[in-house]
């Protein structure tokens, strides 16, 4: 399999090159040059890791099969169930539990694999990398747990001091591995992102310290997420197949879209947003225009510009890279795109979308708990609310986080805390490792240089 950029400026990349490039050099997103099709019958009785191996093989031909198999097995050995992503049926919906990894959110499914892949590739190339990133919560902890203890990799993660949830802060800062550096910035998440961007823009510094990223647009992350759409279908086997996906950056739901292109018989993907509703407006009105980010109970969906959206545009416009390029230029200039006519009809034949308010999020958690005794987190609640609104039966709802990550919202909804998994309860007693720095690019650079020269 070869990979190209959605904007046409990069072609013929191998999987490993696509993985290492992250964002395509022409500013586009990396997509496979073909869509492999699958024979569902051959896959349906496989275990999760067997299935992952079979699907990865379709997209990866530059890693020997034995090595790939080991990478897959190692990546999912950190999950607390052999099913990796179990499916449970509750009150007319299926719940696809994606929170059995080390940080109790779905990002582990991709980042556990990415960490091992990174280590493997660097070892082959006899190289090293210093990963730098900013987080508002979930991504940072999943990236740290993906990379901690890996050879030839250090990871520096910035988060806004005092502005991430208690559980997220503990997850990040209690990691003991020497290659993990937590930096709490006296500022906002936007300040953290601005610092990271400024450092990446200092090309001398970037080269000198071999800075790298593991952000949400990496193709390998999408690839890892395709697997559980197939897995859930085989486990649930509903008469008609619908998935409801709580969406922020359009990464998770795009993986579902890929599964559909590969032949999984999905009738529709149901796209759930919170009040940050740019994607809801896109599906229902063809209006993709950037609004203000508002804070909700589902912080991992508090996003306006969906970083993976460009991949969908590529397929929506029949893989026309020039069209994608001009649309993205238009978007960069005007912060809005408009769609109508047959294009919008096509979007609406593939997606339904619903928007959930804070009140409806809490009501959904409460009602679902009353009916089933099962506690859902506020992100999952958005997907369940959307499934209810859709009127379809037997929708598979992606449960993207464990409720114990968001105990405050759960208490608001049902008056009590969800039971804490042992690994979360134990965090409280662990020692924290974090450096608190001023909101300053030079302070952060100085910190990185000091840590790297001490080794
Ligand atoms: C990241 C995240 C989402 C959104 O996923 P995208 O791939 O950005 O659409 C939803 N729920 C949780 C818990 C997350 O961490």
């Amino acid at each position: 399999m070869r990979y190209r950029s959605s904007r046409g400026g990069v072609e013929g990349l191998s999987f490993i090159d696509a993985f290492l490039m992250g964002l395509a050099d022409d500013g586009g997103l990396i997509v496979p040059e073909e869509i492999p099709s699958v024979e569902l019958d051959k896959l349906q009785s496989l275990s999760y890791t067997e299935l992952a191996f079979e699907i990865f093989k379709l997209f990866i031909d530059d890693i020997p099969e034995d090595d790939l198999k080991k990478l897959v097995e190692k990546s999912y050995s950190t999950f607390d169930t052999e099913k990796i992503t179990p499916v449970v049926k509750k009150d007319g919906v299926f719940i696809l539990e994606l929170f059995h990894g080390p940080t109790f959110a779905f990002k582990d499914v991709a980042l556990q694999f990415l960490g091992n892949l990174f280590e493997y590739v660097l070892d082959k190339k006899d190289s090293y990398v210093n990963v730098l990133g900013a987080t508002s919560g979930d991504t940072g902890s999943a990236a740290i747990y993906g990379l901690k203890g890996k050879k030839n990799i250090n990871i520096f993660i910035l988060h806004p001091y005092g502005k991430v949830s208690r559980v997220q802060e503990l997850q990040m800062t209690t990691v003991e591995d020497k290659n993990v550096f937590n930096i709490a910035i006296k500022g906002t998440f936007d300040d953290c992102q601005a610092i990271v961007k400024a450092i990446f823009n200092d090309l001398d510094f970037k080269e000198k310290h071999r800075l790298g990223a593991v952000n949400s647009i990496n193709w390998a992350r999408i690839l890892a997420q395709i697997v559980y759409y197939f897995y859930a279908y085989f486990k649930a086997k509903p008469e008609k197949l619908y998935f409801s996906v709580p969406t922020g950056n359009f990464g998770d739901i795009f993986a579902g879209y890929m599964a559909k292109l590969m032949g999984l018989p999905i009738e529709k993907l149901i796209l759930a947003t919170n009040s940050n509703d740019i994607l809801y407006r896109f599906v229902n009105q063809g209006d993709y225009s950037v609004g203000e980010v508002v804070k909700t109970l589902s912080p991992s969906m508090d996003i306006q510009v969906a970083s993976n959206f460009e991949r969908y545009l590529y397929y929506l416009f029949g893989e026309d890279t020039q069209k994608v390029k001009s649309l993205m230029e238009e978007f960069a200039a005007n912060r809005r795109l408009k769609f109508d006519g047959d294009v919008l009809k096509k979007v609406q034949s593939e997606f339904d979308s619903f928007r959930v308010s804070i009140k409806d999020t809490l009501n959904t958690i409460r009602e679902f708990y009353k009916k089933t005794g099962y506690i859902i987190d506020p992100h999952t609640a958005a997907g369940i609310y959307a499934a209810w609104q859709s009127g379809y039966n037997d929708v598979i709802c992606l449960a993207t986080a464990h409720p114990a990550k968001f105990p405050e919202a759960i208490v608001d909804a049902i008056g009590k805390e969800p039971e804490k998994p042992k690994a979360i309860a134990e965090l409280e007693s662990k020692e924290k490792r974090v450096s608190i720095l001023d909101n300053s690019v030079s302070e952060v650079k100085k910190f990185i240089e000091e840590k790297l020269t001490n080794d």
Side-chain angles (χ1 to χ4, degrees):
M1 177 68 73
R2 297 287 149 224
Y3 293 86
R4 71 194 305 204
S5 162
S6 56
R7 299 188 195 178
V10 177
E11 275 183 349
L13 296 175
S14 72
F15 171 77
I16 288 179
D17 290 340
F19 165 63
L20 291 175
M21 193 175 280
L23 186 71
D25 288 346
D26 65 352
L29 298 190
I30 287 171
V31 287
E33 291 192 357
E34 296 142 52
I35 304 283
S37 57
V38 295
E39 284 178 63
L40 293 174
D41 291 351
K42 288 203 176 142
L43 302 178
Q44 64 179 340
S45 49
L46 300 182
S47 70
Y48 188 94
T49 46
E50 288 166 346
L51 181 63
F53 175 64
E54 290 301 324
I55 289 177
F56 289 1
K57 258 192 338 194
L58 300 170
F59 291 94
I60 303 175
D61 54 18
D62 51 348
I63 297 177
E65 289 196 1
D66 281 351
D67 291 359
L68 184 61
K69 194 168 210 159
K70 279 190 206 130
L71 284 173
V72 170
E73 277 164 10
K74 187 173 176 198
S75 300
Y76 297 111
S77 67
T78 54
F79 281 58
D80 67 11
T81 160
E82 251 169 57
K83 293 183 181 143
I84 313 300
T85 63
V87 180
V88 295
K89 182 144 198 204
K90 301 277 173 195
D91 188 48
V93 296
F94 290 97
I95 310 273
L96 170 54
E97 294 185 343
L98 299 174
F99 50 73
H100 289 273
T103 72
F104 301 93
F106 89 93
K107 291 187 174 70
D108 289 329
V109 178
L111 284 164
Q112 285 294 301
F113 175 60
L114 241 76
N116 289 311
L117 184 63
F118 224 154
E119 184 178 50
Y120 174 86
V121 170
L122 290 170
D123 185 54
K124 293 276 170 226
K125 291 184 179 286
D126 205 7
S127 184
Y128 66 92
V129 71
N130 292 302
V131 168
L132 173 66
T135 187
S136 58
D138 268 354
T139 310
S141 47
I144 287 173
Y145 274 76
L147 296 179
K148 74 191 179 85
K150 297 285 184 263
K151 276 182 269 159
N152 305 323
I153 302 178
N154 291 304
I155 175 166
F156 294 85
I157 291 286
L158 280 60
H159 71 261
Y161 181 52
K163 293 196 177 75
V164 298
S165 86
R166 174 91 186 135
V167 176
Q168 287 167 335
E169 187 197 349
L170 287 171
Q171 277 183 333
M172 289 192 282
T173 59
T174 56
V175 170
E176 286 168 12
D177 301 77
K178 289 207 177 68
N179 70 331
V180 174
F181 300 96
N182 280 286
I183 304 172
I185 295 291
K186 293 181 197 160
T188 63
F189 172 55
D190 286 341
D191 294 329
C192 296
Q193 270 192 312
I195 292 172
V196 167
K197 208 168 163 189
I199 296 178
F200 273 112
N201 281 337
D202 179 345
L203 295 182
D204 289 338
F205 190 88
K206 184 181 166 202
E207 295 263 304
K208 183 174 167 208
H209 296 297
R210 298 237 194 153
L211 295 186
V214 283
N215 42 33
S216 71
I217 48 82
N218 198 299
W219 166 254
R221 282 181 68 169
I222 304 287
L223 174 58
Q225 293 170 204
I226 294 172
V227 178
Y228 49 71
Y229 284 90
F230 284 90
Y231 186 77
Y233 169 63
F234 296 137
K235 295 297 156 198
K237 273 293 171 82
E239 214 167 290
K240 286 194 165 178
L241 182 57
Y242 299 95
F243 286 98
S244 182
V245 189
T247 308
N249 268 320
F250 207 83
D252 204 5
I253 198 164
F254 181 77
Y257 186 72
M258 283 301 297
K260 182 178 158 110
L261 295 180
M262 290 164 70
L264 190 65
I266 299 176
E267 300 279 334
K268 276 211 172 164
L269 290 160
I270 303 169
L271 188 159
T273 76
N274 61 27
S275 316
N276 298 286
D277 64 353
I278 182 169
L279 292 165
Y280 163 85
R281 284 183 283 112
F282 164 68
V283 172
N284 288 296
Q285 296 141 32
D287 169 29
Y288 189 77
S289 58
V290 180
E292 285 285 309
V293 177
V294 295
K295 203 167 141 51
T296 71
L297 298 176
S298 39
S300 298
M301 296 157 66
D302 290 348
I303 286 166
Q304 282 289 338
V305 180
S307 58
N308 272 291
F309 182 65
E310 182 172 344
R311 284 198 167 101
Y312 177 60
L313 288 183
Y314 173 79
Y315 291 106
L316 180 60
F317 288 96
E319 309 188 13
D320 179 346
T321 53
Q322 285 316 300
K323 179 72 185 175
V324 174
K325 187 164 181 261
S326 71
L327 283 172
M328 293 316 293
E329 281 164 4
E330 186 187 332
F331 180 70
N334 304 332
R335 308 295 283 165
R336 68 188 310 234
L337 291 171
K338 223 31 211 152
F339 302 87
D340 53 22
D342 287 347
V343 171
L344 186 55
K345 279 209 191 91
K346 181 163 191 287
V347 174
Q348 292 174 348
S349 72
E350 295 175 326
F351 295 92
D352 284 340
S353 182
F354 301 92
R355 170 180 61 193
V356 65
S357 65
I358 288 181
K359 191 161 154 258
D360 288 331
T361 305
L362 292 171
N363 281 339
T364 304
I365 296 171
R366 189 178 310 120
E367 266 186 56
F368 202 74
Y369 178 64
K370 264 199 216 150
K371 283 188 189 163
T372 65
Y374 184 96
I375 303 177
I376 50 176
D377 100 286
H379 302 79
T380 306
I384 290 190
Y385 174 84
W388 284 347
Q389 294 290 310
S390 75
Y392 303 132
N393 292 322
D394 292 341
V395 175
I396 301 176
C397 297
L398 276 62
T400 52
H402 191 288
K405 286 197 95 164
F406 303 95
E408 299 84 358
I410 306 300
V411 171
D412 275 359
I414 64 170
K416 65 169 187 183
E417 282 208 12
E419 210 174 299
K420 282 193 186 113
K422 196 156 157 272
I424 291 186
E426 283 171 358
L427 293 173
E428 292 285 349
S429 58
K430 288 190 175 168
E431 201 185 321
K432 290 204 265 180
R433 283 175 61 237
V434 56
S435 305
I436 301 160
L437 299 186
D438 283 335
N439 176 14
S440 143
V441 175
S442 58
E443 286 261 322
V444 175
K445 278 184 176 167
K446 202 171 94 197
F447 177 86
I448 293 173
E449 296 219 289
E450 274 171 17
K451 292 298 168 192
L452 294 179
T453 46
N454 281 347
D455 280 355

